Amino acid sequence: MICCNRCFKDVEIKAIIKSLNVTGDCKTCNGKNVYIYDTTIHGQLVDVFNELLEVYLPTNHLPDDYPREKMNLLKDELYEKWGIFNIDKEKIYTLITNICYEKYNEYPEIFDSPISIMKLNDNEYLQGNSITKTHSWEHFVKEIQTNNRFHTDYINTNVLDMFCGNVKKTYKGGTILYRARISTEDGFTISEMGAPPSNKASDGRANPLGISCLYLASDRETTLHEIKAGAYDYVTIGEFELQEDIDVIDFIALDKIGPFSGIDMTLHAINKENTQKIGNEIAKPLRRNDGPLDYLPTQYITDFIKSKGYKGIKYKSTMNKDGYNLAIFNPGLFQCRDICVYDVRGIKYDSVPLYD
Ligand SMILES: [Zn+2]
């Protein structure tokens, strides 16, 4: 069976296929003149996938009382949980059984029956290796919102730190980002465009009340979305320049760490849901009725990141899919060097009915 670099989303797998340097047409995704991998000739992906499959056990090897809700089919794990493939699930089944045909012949249950990871149901292991210990992310959110705010014992900070270290991103001095404020036709001055001082800083997703933080976006349009500028508003957009090289934690990448990135696969697998939920929580669009308690979980995570010496966080803009945001813990790292006033002529609404 022939597949190609385009059949995969996983960067490590794509790189392996490209390194073979064989081009042709792919019958799996119909890609033309792409880097191909022929499962009857090439073997480079066999051990890579076998190592991942080792993490799982099929139903008949799991204890009788193992919770059914923690079981899944391999093709779903590979597609939904790990995001390895760029093809539909039926094709994944055919492709993975061709890549790992020896394993499929010896051990078809792993491909055909529900599978799971024993450690997912092992409280002692979870206590030391899951970001949220034996709790769910939702339990942690409830705990910090309603019970213990500053000394919660729900998070394994060393595990969180290890994942953060995998998604560190460096921004070079001179990088330009943007911040917008709704203003009058006259606009704000350059000195008025910075982050509010500590005594005026309100709660945000990356800062608690009273702690200043500078929220920037990748481009002018994203800033307009982020401040929810309305039609006929005047908006002052400031251009900010980074003064030195800095390291931030990239929450967009957190959700995309693949299984072959070097992190222990079992530890990675039991934390996949956590890292996805943290990434989503950071980028969650805020609604008009949300209050300061809704920011607490992300404030907790970002406060930890700040304590480790990182200078900010990067997260996706849910308001403008092509854009991203950066929250900078020390606002002085960026200097506003130019401003321009914009007249918002129109906005586009996108809505769906919640009830029929
Ligand atoms: Zn392909």
Side-chain angles (χ1 to χ4, degrees):
M1 183 171 180
I2 289 174
C3 61
C4 75
N5 59 316
R6 289 199 200 160
C7 292
F8 295 90
K9 280 188 199 153
D10 186 274
V11 287
E12 275 90 12
I13 303 266
K14 277 171 161 316
I16 292 172
I17 297 176
K18 270 192 181 174
S19 73
L20 300 171
N21 206 19
V22 184
T23 52
D25 294 343
C26 171
K27 294 192 184 74
T28 306
C29 72
N30 296 323
K32 303 277 179 247
N33 196 25
V34 284
Y35 289 101
I36 55 167
Y37 179 94
D38 185 341
T39 59
T40 59
I41 301 169
H42 300 122
Q44 286 79 354
L45 295 184
V46 180
D47 287 346
V48 175
F49 275 106
N50 279 348
E51 195 189 343
L52 180 60
L53 300 185
E54 293 286 321
V55 172
Y56 292 96
L57 287 175
T59 316
N60 58 351
H61 285 67
L62 289 165
D64 290 342
D65 60 350
Y66 192 88
R68 304 269 328 163
E69 66 273 16
K70 291 185 178 170
M71 297 182 189
N72 207 355
L73 287 172
L74 179 64
K75 63 180 179 176
D76 295 331
E77 284 284 302
L78 297 176
Y79 185 78
E80 284 156 11
K81 185 171 188 168
W82 293 111
I84 296 173
F85 292 91
N86 199 22
I87 50 177
D88 63 48
K89 285 187 209 167
E90 277 60 40
K91 283 184 182 164
I92 290 174
Y93 176 82
T94 313
L95 183 53
I96 192 73
T97 50
N98 272 276
I99 291 172
C100 304
Y101 65 96
E102 278 184 16
K103 191 159 188 108
Y104 182 53
N105 284 335
E106 284 165 28
Y107 202 24
E109 309 95 286
I110 206 89
F111 301 83
D112 294 338
S113 77
I115 55 169
S116 193
I117 302 162
M118 276 295 278
K119 296 272 196 276
L120 257 181
N121 204 37
D122 178 343
N123 280 345
E124 203 178 319
Y125 183 81
L126 294 174
Q127 183 66 22
N129 295 282
S130 166
I131 293 174
T132 52
K133 300 190 174 176
T134 54
H135 312 283
S136 64
W137 172 257
E138 289 75 15
H139 283 149
F140 160 70
V141 170
K142 192 164 180 218
E143 171 72 9
I144 194 174
Q145 285 178 340
T146 63
N147 193 30
N148 191 323
R149 191 145 306 163
F150 296 107
H151 300 281
T152 163
D153 191 29
Y154 276 42
I155 299 288
N156 267 319
T157 49
N158 57 332
V159 183
L160 178 61
D161 192 28
M162 186 274 291
F163 277 99
C164 286
N166 265 272
V167 289
K168 184 176 79 172
K169 182 171 169 61
T170 302
Y171 278 88
K172 292 278 178 200
T175 300
I176 302 292
L177 294 171
Y178 302 87
R179 166 171 153 84
R181 290 184 72 190
I182 292 171
S183 64
T184 63
E185 196 174 350
D186 298 331
F188 287 113
T189 61
I190 280 182
S191 62
E192 289 170 318
M193 284 306 290
S198 294
N199 61 355
K200 289 198 175 141
S202 56
D203 275 289
R205 66 185 79 217
N207 74 294
L209 179 73
I211 295 182
S212 189
C213 181
L214 179 65
Y215 290 88
L216 298 168
S218 52
D219 54 277
R220 291 182 176 86
E221 191 176 338
T222 302
T223 64
L224 294 178
H225 286 278
E226 290 296 328
I227 63 165
K228 298 183 176 138
Y232 309 114
D233 277 341
Y234 291 108
V235 174
T236 307
I237 297 183
E239 204 176 280
F240 285 74
E241 184 177 13
L242 179 56
Q243 302 299 297
E244 58 188 75
D245 295 358
I246 57 167
D247 287 339
V248 305
I249 296 304
D250 181 356
F251 280 99
I252 303 170
L254 185 67
D255 185 22
K256 296 193 173 80
I257 309 175
F260 315 112
S261 58
I263 299 173
D264 175 87
M265 281 184 186
T266 303
L267 184 140
H268 195 171
I270 62 147
N271 278 294
K272 198 71 191 153
E273 198 176 317
N274 281 327
T275 53
Q276 280 166 347
K277 285 195 172 155
I278 293 172
N280 289 341
E281 189 88 29
I282 298 267
K284 191 167 78 174
L286 297 162
R287 291 177 184 272
R288 219 179 284 272
N289 295 333
D290 286 345
L293 291 181
D294 294 294
Y295 294 115
L296 274 174
T298 58
Q299 288 173 351
Y300 181 96
I301 301 289
T302 50
D303 206 46
F304 172 72
I305 288 167
K306 188 176 178 180
S307 78
K308 299 309 273 185
Y310 297 108
K311 304 301 184 196
I313 58 163
K314 177 184 175 183
Y315 57 99
K316 65 185 166 198
S317 168
T318 42
M319 316 288 279
N320 183 28
K321 66 179 170 52
D322 298 325
Y324 67 84
N325 298 304
L326 218 59
I328 298 296
F329 303 140
N330 173 2
L333 286 167
F334 276 85
Q335 291 293 315
C336 184
R337 61 173 205 182
D338 199 9
I339 47 150
C340 187
V341 179
Y342 288 78
D343 181 4
V344 180
R345 294 287 171 86
I347 48 174
K348 268 192 276 180
Y349 291 104
D350 185 8
S351 64
V352 289
L354 274 184
Y355 311 103
D356 285 331

